[in-house]
Amino acid sequence: MSTTTPLETSASNNNVVKDESTAFEYPHADLILRSCDSCDFRVTKLYIVHSSPVLGELIRGSSISSDIANDKNSLPVAQLSESKVILRSLFTFIFPVSPALPSTIEAIMERLSVAQKYQMMSALAHIRGSIACLDLPFTSPETAFRVYSLAQKYGLRQEALLAARVITLNFSMTLEDLEDKLDITSGAALYQLWMYHEKIRTVLASDLAEFRESGASGTLTGSNCVASSPSLIPRWLEEYIESIGRSPNLFDPLEFDIARTRHINHDKCTSTCLTSQTIWTFRKALTTVVYGSIEKAEPSLFLAPERDGSNHDEPKKGARKVSFVPGPLDIPDANLILRSADLVNFRVHKSVLAMASPFFKNLLSIPSDDEVIDGLPVVRVSEDAQLLNILLCRLYPVLPVMPSSNDQGFSLLAACQKYGMTSIQPHIHLNCRSLGTDPFRAYAIASREKLTGEMERAAGYTLDHPMTFETLGKRLQLFEGWALRDLVRFRRRCRDNVVAFLEPYLEDRAGPSNIWVGCPDSTRHSRSSGDATNQ
C-alpha cells in the first residue's frame, strides 16, 4: 500500500492546491483524501470504507489528537501517493456521478492499477464495463501489444490474458515477424507471452486432432467434396485444421477462404462443394474447439516478475556492518572508506580515486557531512564487495583479481563506465573475449549495462546461431525490448548483405560464368592448356 502518512488533519495548509477542475467536493464530507500534489478531495468515509478495504484499514487504524478532534471545522486527512488527476477520475467510478474514463490506453491502465492496488473491486468492474462500451475495441490487434505490456507492468492479469489471446490469434510468433513490436514490451513479459502461446499450441493440437477425427465430419452434411482422408473429411480441410494447431493465427475466415480457393483451383472442385450453411456450421464448431483450448491454456500465463529495482545504497534490514578488506588489498595510511552495497568497508586513498575517476574527483571536492569511522569519511557505492574489490585492485600495484564470469566482467565494465575509469576499461575488455560461448546472454547483459562495444561484439557472435523463441528460451527474460528489436534488425541486415553479395553468383546465365575473367592465374592456366592441346 502506497500511503505516505496516516490520517492527519486539515488544519491550514498553504501548499494545498485549490483546483476547481480537479477537486471533488462531496456533500456532507467527513474525510479528506489528499493527492501527492496536494489537492484535497472532500469525501464521505462510508463510501471509501465500503469501496476499498485498504483505505478502510488506513482510516480505522489512524487516530486524531484530542485538541484537533475538538475543532469542529477540521476534517481528518489521508495522504495518498497518487496525483489529483488519477484520483479525480477514480472517484467518478466510486461515487454516484458521471464516470470519467481517460482517453488514452496508458491512463486507463493506470486507473485500473490504482483501483486494484486499493482493492476497489466495484470500481474495477465499473472501469472495465466502461471500457467494454467504447466504440472501438480497447484490445485490438493494433493495441494488443501496448495493452499487454502495460498489463504486465501494472499486474493486471485479466487485461494481460485478453491481450495475449488477441496476439496469439492475430500474429505469427516469430521474432522477425514481431520486429516492430519488440520494443513495446520487456523480454520477461515477452517470454511469458511465448510460453502462453506454446501452451495454447499444445492444447490446441490435441483438441483439434480429436475434432478432426470425431466431430468435423458431422458438420459437413451436404458436402460434395470427396472425403479422401482417413478422418472422412476432405484432405484440404484436414490440412487447414492441422495448420491452426501449428499456427493459431491461421484461425481466420480469410485463411479458410484461401485454403478453399486453393482446393477449388488445384483439385478442380466446384465452388459449391461446401454450401454457405455448411461453412457456417463447420466454423461454429471449430470456433468452439479453438476458444475452449485457449481457456484451458490461460492459467499458464503468468505476470512477468519485475527486475529488482531496490536501492542498494540503503542497508538491508538486519544487515550487519563489517569492516573487511578482502583479497590482496591492505592499504596503509588510508584517508577514505568506500562502503559496498553489502556493507563491506574498503580503506583507500582519496588521491588514487581522484586520479582514476573524474566522478570521485568531483565528489570528493565537495564538503560532506557523511558518516565517519575512525576519523575517515564514508562514501557509499552501489557495487557489491566482490565487484568493488576487483575494481580497486586495478588501481593499486597488487595482483589483479579477475572477474569470475562474463556477467561479472560486464558489471565491472559498467562500473568503470559509470565512474569514468577509462584507463581500466581496456584491460577488462581482454578478459571478456569469451562472448561466443553464450552470445545471446552476453548481448542481453551488455545492452542492459549500455556497453556499446560489447553489444556489437556479442551481436556478431550471435550470427553463428539461430535466433528463435525456442533457441532463446529463458534467456529471453534478460533482454530489454529495444535491445531484442535491434538484434533482430542487425541479423536481418547481415542476412540481406550476404544475399546481395552472393546474388550475382547465383544468377542463371547461359554459358560459363565470367567471374574469373581477368584473373592472372586463370589466364596462364588457359594458355598452358591451349599450348598442350596444340602440341
Side-chain angles (χ1 to χ4, degrees), residues 76-91:
V77 176
Q79 180 73 50
L80 304 182
S81 61
E82 288 72 33
S83 70
K84 61 185 178 183
V85 174
I86 293 176
L87 292 177
R88 173 69 176 81
S89 174
L90 187 62
F91 291 157

Side-chain angles (χ1 to χ4, degrees), residues 496-510:
D496 292 345
N497 290 340
V498 170
V499 171
F501 178 78
L502 294 177
E503 199 168 15
Y505 303 100
L506 302 177
E507 292 178 358
D508 185 16
R509 291 191 182 95

Side-chain angles (χ1 to χ4, degrees), residues 9 27 73 169 184 495:
T9 63
N73 295 322
L169 292 178
I184 296 176
R495 182 195 64 193

Side-chain angles (χ1 to χ4, degrees), residues 19 44 80 143 156 188 206 215 230 241 251 270 345 354 399 420 466 472:
D19 188 341
T44 58
L80 304 182
T143 63
L156 298 167
S206 175
I241 294 173
F251 176 63
T270 64
N345 293 334
L399 186 66
L472 288 179

